[in-house]
């Protein structure tokens, strides 16, 4: 460890001109040979940008990269490859009609003479590589039949076959079961022993603490520090990852603590323009209130598809003034469930009732016409039009109100936009293109549009994504406030903790089945986690008792 | 790969046009002949009423086809079948003219123009419908349909409808009562330019001041966003294509009743393709389509003048158009505005 780092990134600064997001500020990273190195940080801390810069995929504004003692030129993926940087992306893709072998040798095919592919030699070389690294994979099979774990193995083998000395894995366990994950960590361990550097990029602290030898923490685009693994425990790590706050503060942004400045924004947002008929209720204590009318009801809804995940016999009831959190693994049904809720997928069987009436025509248009707010996961792709102006992004759901005889008077749309922006404390020119705004400001525009008018139902997916701490607190206050006014809120999230700490009821989606827990107070994070991964599907388990809640909170923060 | 986002930068267009002029001058300079030839190029289109009026007439027709392309482009669809839509529109207009009694007069002319628009509309709307219904790429289908329509019209002109008394491959003339008024004798200029200006103004208003226009633009900018926001995106695939087809058909009808008075084989050549160039120069902004069409028509007329009077080869015209196309499409290339 006393020797020089094999890879050294210094002073990396990157601001994306498209959205003004400052992804990296003077960030640094040192990677040594023969180690497992964890690069940790929250969503949006700048981890991905940093490794994309290292891989030559993104050009930094400033900074240097030294690999094995020599400076490499930036934004040159081929040079990064030559220098031994191998990146395994979060979403591994392969040519499905090719076998694992054919995918593997793509780009570095062993040839005999003028272009004759030596398949046998390739297979032998890869067999040797697998024996050497302890990775087992059927490379004769077509990759169409590969599981997420097998694709991941394929990507690792590809990188190693291409001569990588530094293997970077972006959230490698995101789509894997616990058992699969453990298998991968033993592979990583083995690889590190052969002298490779293995860099694991993750926001899952718990699973990295054991295997990692060194940890680099990022926050808000900066490198907070580099620590030997023994120096930190989980709670210490968590508090370093979360800016200027104890980890506890992050867990419970309740509607009551309004000391931060964003509190005012939220109050303005929710008290602003609910011109409908908000039924004011006292407090937020309407957990499982059986008296409230059922707003949305799924009974036996199934979505079957030839490939990929499906949804099986989904049933639940959402009452007015209830916050229902549904969690699961995105690729294993949660995305599909979002598409179903958004109306782009039609169920094969089962019925959906809204306000007691059966939903006959299932499309985004009918849902929107019913006045449902929807904040999609893909904020930029589905939530806004980057080339349009802020104003044009704001008026989409209010066209009926704003147009007269089909004409949209500019004065009216302008006034509407200015007022909507005021509600979310965003003082900016509504006629400018929205891509000039920062990511956080864009989120506020989306919130202003979706929640600017009274809604019976709010569907919000991955509410924390792309938001900083203040933004998250504002978001939760808004949702809790809406709930207290009688709006039903449906939160889809792949992050357990946010769902645990706010929902009246929780649903866990696994293998296409939804298990509903009406009393989430008794569930612990690890219980929920193993349910997500299919440890047990008996369902309807209510937790031990509510007095344990403080302990659960504690455990959550430990694993933040 | 082409970006399917509607480009809207005017600055790039100006640079592209300036460069096209430079290319033209360079070619004229290289091929010798000195200042006289250059002045023919620049002043030629203004030297007499005939050339001037014909240039304006051409600009009017190009405005219509350019508008048709821009509208489709703004909604995120690509109409590559302009040539066939112009041609088929003209045929539809012609058929109405020969079916109506020659005394139908200006009412008949109006009916013929509408039919011409309808002919283009049907052809283009089918591509839009196929995209909405089956996801067929409208770029390919509009091109293929157009490519099939052209020989069909040619067959009618060379066969059943041919005027055996003429040396040209043409049909008989339509009745004189259907002729559109000439605005600048002895040139061909008729109502195409005023109609082009009128429709451009209407399209600008529609696009930027009305709800359907807003929904059309949002669909073009981000189809997913529009869809999740409850916009009937399918409708905004069919309607702009159909409207574009109508404009192309109208151009065919106006060329028939205003300029040629008969269906001449190949008369539409270039109107559809050059409409794309005009739309690109205009940055797909309908208010800029007429100026863009004027500039493009001027470039064409100038090279024609140089060709006729200064002994420059026929290729000059083609080279200048190629230069405009090339320079304008540079802006489509991926990587624009990306990192480094």
């Amino acid at each position: 460890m006393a020797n020089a780092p094999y890879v050294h990134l210094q002073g990396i600064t990157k601001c994306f001109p498209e959205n003004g997001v400052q992804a990296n500020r003077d960030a640094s990273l040192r990677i040594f040979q023969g180690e497992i190195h964890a690069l940790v940080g929250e969503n949006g801390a700048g981890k991905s940008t940093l490794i994309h810069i290292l891989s030559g995929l993104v050009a930094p504004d400033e900074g240097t990269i030294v690999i094995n003692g020599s400076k490499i030129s930036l934004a040159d993926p081929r040079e990064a490859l030559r220098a031994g940087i191998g990146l395994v992306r979060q979403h591994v893709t392969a040519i499905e009609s090719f076998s694992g072998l054919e995918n593997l040798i793509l780009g570095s095919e062993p040839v005999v003479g003028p272009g004759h592919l030596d398949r046998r030699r390739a297979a032998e070389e890869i067999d040797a590589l697998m024996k050497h690294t302890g990775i087992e994979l059927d490379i004769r099979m077509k990759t169409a039949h590969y599981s997420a774990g097998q694709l991941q193995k394929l990507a690792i083998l590809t990188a190693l076959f291409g001569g990588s000395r530094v293997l970077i894995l972006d959230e490698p366990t995101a789509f894997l079961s616990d058992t699969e994950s453990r298998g991968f960590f033993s592979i990583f361990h083995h690889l590190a022993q052969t002298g490779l550097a293995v860099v694991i990029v993750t926001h899952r602290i718990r699973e990295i603490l054991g295997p990692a030898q060194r940890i680099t923490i990022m926050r808000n685009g900066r490198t907070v520090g580099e620590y030997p693994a023994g120096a930190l425990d989980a709670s210490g790590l968590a508090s370093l990852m979360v800016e200027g706050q104890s980890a506890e503060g992050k867990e419970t942004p309740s509607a009551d603590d309004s000391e931060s400045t964003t509190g005012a924004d939220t109050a303005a947002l929710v008290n602003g323009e609910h011109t409908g008929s908000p039924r004011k209720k006292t407090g937020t204590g309407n957990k499982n209130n059986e008296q409230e009318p059922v707003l949305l009801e799924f009974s036996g809804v199934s979505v079957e598809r030839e490939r990929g995940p499906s949804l099986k016999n989904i049933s639940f009831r959402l009452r007015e003034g209830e916050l229902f959190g549904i969690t699961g693994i995105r690729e294993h049904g949660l995305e599909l469930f979002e598409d179903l809720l958004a109306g782009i997928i039609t169920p094969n069987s089962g019925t959906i009732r809204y306000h007691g009436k059966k939903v006959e025509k299932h499309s985004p248009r009918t849902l929107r016409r019913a006045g449902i707010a929807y904040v999609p996961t893909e904020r930029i792709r589905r939530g806004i039009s980057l080339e349009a102006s802020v104003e044009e992004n704001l008026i989409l759901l209010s066209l009926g109100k704003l147009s007269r005889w089909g004409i949209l008077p500019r004065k009216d749309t302008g006034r509407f936009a200015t007022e909507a922006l005021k509600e979310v404390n965003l003082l900016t020119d509504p006629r400018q293109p929205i891509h000039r705004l920062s990511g956080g400001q864009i989120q506020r525009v989306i919130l202003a549009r979706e929640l600017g008018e009274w809604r019976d139902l709010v569907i919000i997916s991955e509410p924390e994504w792309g938001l900083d701490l203040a933004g998250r607190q504002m978001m939760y206050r808004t949702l809790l406030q809406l709930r207290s006014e009688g709006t039903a809120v449906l939160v889809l999230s792949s992050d357990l903790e946010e769902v645990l700490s706010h929902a009246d009821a929780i649903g866990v989606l696994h293998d296409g089945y939804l298990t509903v827990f009406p009393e989430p107070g008794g569930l612990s994070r690890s219980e929920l986690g193993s349910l997500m991964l299919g440890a047990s599907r008996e369902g309807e388990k209510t937790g031990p008792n509510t007095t344990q809640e403080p302990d659960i909170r504690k455990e959550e923060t430990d694993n933040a | 790969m082409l970006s399917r986002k509607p480009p809207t930068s005017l600055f790039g267009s100006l640079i592209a046009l300036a460069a096209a002029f430079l290319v033209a001058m360079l070619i004229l300079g290289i091929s010798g002949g000195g200042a006289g030839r250059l002045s023919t190029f620049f002043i030629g289109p203004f030297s007499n009423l005939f050339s001037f009026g014909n240039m304006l007439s051409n600009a009017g027709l190009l405005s219509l086809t350019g508008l048709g392309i821009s509208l489709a482009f703004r909604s995120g669809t690509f109409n590559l079948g302009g040539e066939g839509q112009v041609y088929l529109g003209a045929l539809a207009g012609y058929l109405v003219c020969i079916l109506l009694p020659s005394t139908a007069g200006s009412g008949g002319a109006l009916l013929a123009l509408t039919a011409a628009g309808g002919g283009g509309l049907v052809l283009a709307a089918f591509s839009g419908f196929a995209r909405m219904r089956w996801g067929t790429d409208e770029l390919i289908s509009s091109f293929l349909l157009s490519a099939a329509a052209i020989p069909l019209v040619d067959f009618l002109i060379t066969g059943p409808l041919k005027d055996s008394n003429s040396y040209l491959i043409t049909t008989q003339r339509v009745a004189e009562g259907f002729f559109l008024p000439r605005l600048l004798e002895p040139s061909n200029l008729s109502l195409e330019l005023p109609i082009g200006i009128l429709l451009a103004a209407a399209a600008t208003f529609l696009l930027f001041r009305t709800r359907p226009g807003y929904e059309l633009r949002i669909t073009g900018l981000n189809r997913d966003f529009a869809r999740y926001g409850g916009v009937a995106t399918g409708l905004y695939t069919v309607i702009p294509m159909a409207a574009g087809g109508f404009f192309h058909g109208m151009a065919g009808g106006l060329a028939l009743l205003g300029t040629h008075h008969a269906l001449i084989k190949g008369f539409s050549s270039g109107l559809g393709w050059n409409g794309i160039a005009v739309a690109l120069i205009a940055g797909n902004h309908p208010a800029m389509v007429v100026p863009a069409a004027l500039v493009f028509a001027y470039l064409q007329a100038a090279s024609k003048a140089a060709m006729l009077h200064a002994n420059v080869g026929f290729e000059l015209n083609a080279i200048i158009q190629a230069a405009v196309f090339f320079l304008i499409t540079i802006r489509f290339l991926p990587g624009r505005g990306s990192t480094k």
Side-chain angles (χ1 to χ4, degrees), chain B residues 7-176:
Chain B
T8 47
S9 147
L10 273 180
F11 182 66
S13 303
L14 292 178
I15 292 180
L17 282 176
F21 271 103
L22 276 177
V23 168
M25 284 167 62
L26 203 69
I27 293 167
L28 286 170
I30 290 171
S31 56
R37 187 175 279 189
L38 270 180
S39 74
T40 314
F41 179 81
F42 280 107
I43 299 165
F46 303 107
S47 57
N48 55 61
L49 276 182
F50 180 73
S51 316
F52 183 63
N54 284 353
M55 179 183 83
L56 293 184
S57 162
N58 190 25
L61 296 175
L62 284 172
S63 305
L64 281 166
T65 54
L67 272 178
I69 300 291
S70 324
L71 268 187
F73 223 154
R74 280 276 180 177
S75 74
T77 50
F78 206 137
N79 182 356
L80 219 55
E83 292 288 334
Q85 291 153 22
V86 172
Y87 217 32
L88 194 72
L91 173 72
Y94 180 77
L95 290 178
V96 166
C97 286
I98 56 173
L99 289 174
L100 285 177
S102 57
T103 50
S106 53
L110 195 66
L111 200 65
L113 280 181
T114 314
L121 183 146
V122 168
L123 198 60
F126 181 79
S127 297
F129 178 76
R131 160 90 187 267
M132 179 183 79
R133 196 80 180 77
W134 302 294
T136 319
D137 193 329
E138 80 288 352
L139 188 151
I140 308 288
S141 75
S142 63
F143 175 76
L144 291 179
L145 278 174
S146 158
I150 291 168
L152 183 81
V153 179
D154 278 346
F155 162 74
L156 291 175
I157 295 175
T158 50
L161 299 175
K162 188 172 188 307
D163 177 6
S164 45
N165 297 325
S166 169
Y167 294 111
L168 293 168
I169 303 174
T170 174
T171 62
Q172 285 190 335
R173 293 186 134 208
V174 299
E176 211 154 311

Side-chain angles (χ1 to χ4, degrees), chain A residues 393-446:
Chain A
N393 274 291
L394 280 167
I395 63 175
L396 183 68
L397 302 178
S398 310
L399 295 173
K401 195 171 80 182
L402 289 168
S403 65
R404 262 172 279 148
W405 305 101
I407 291 170
L408 286 170
R410 295 201 86 182
K411 226 191 331 177
D412 294 359
T413 57
R415 194 187 307 125
F416 175 85
T418 312
E419 278 169 17
L421 289 178
K422 219 186 282 168
E423 299 294 348
V424 288
N425 255 19
L426 197 61
L427 301 174
T428 186
D429 176 13
R431 297 252 150 96
Q432 69 179 315
I434 198 167
H435 62 71
R436 292 223 191 112
L437 302 188
S438 76
Q441 288 174 319
I442 288 176
Q443 304 266 17
R444 286 184 188 210
V445 171
I446 296 175

Side-chain angles (χ1 to χ4, degrees), chain A residues 58-125:
Chain A
V58 169
D61 301 331
E62 282 169 43
T64 55
I65 301 176
V66 175
I67 297 179
N68 204 9
S70 51
K71 218 164 139 175
I72 64 163
S73 54
L74 303 166
D76 185 348
R78 270 178 299 186
E79 179 155 347
L81 269 181
R82 271 198 299 275
I85 305 293
L87 173 63
V88 176
R89 290 165 185 259
Q90 194 173 355
H91 300 269
V92 177
T93 50
I95 301 173
E96 295 196 333
S97 56
F98 277 23
S99 70
L101 175 70
E102 287 163 333
N103 269 288
L104 236 162
I105 57 176
L106 205 65
S108 46
E109 299 92 341
V111 288
V112 183
H116 172 70
L117 178 61
D118 191 345
R119 198 178 285 263
R120 183 179 298 163
R121 203 179 91 210
E124 279 167 9
E125 282 178 19

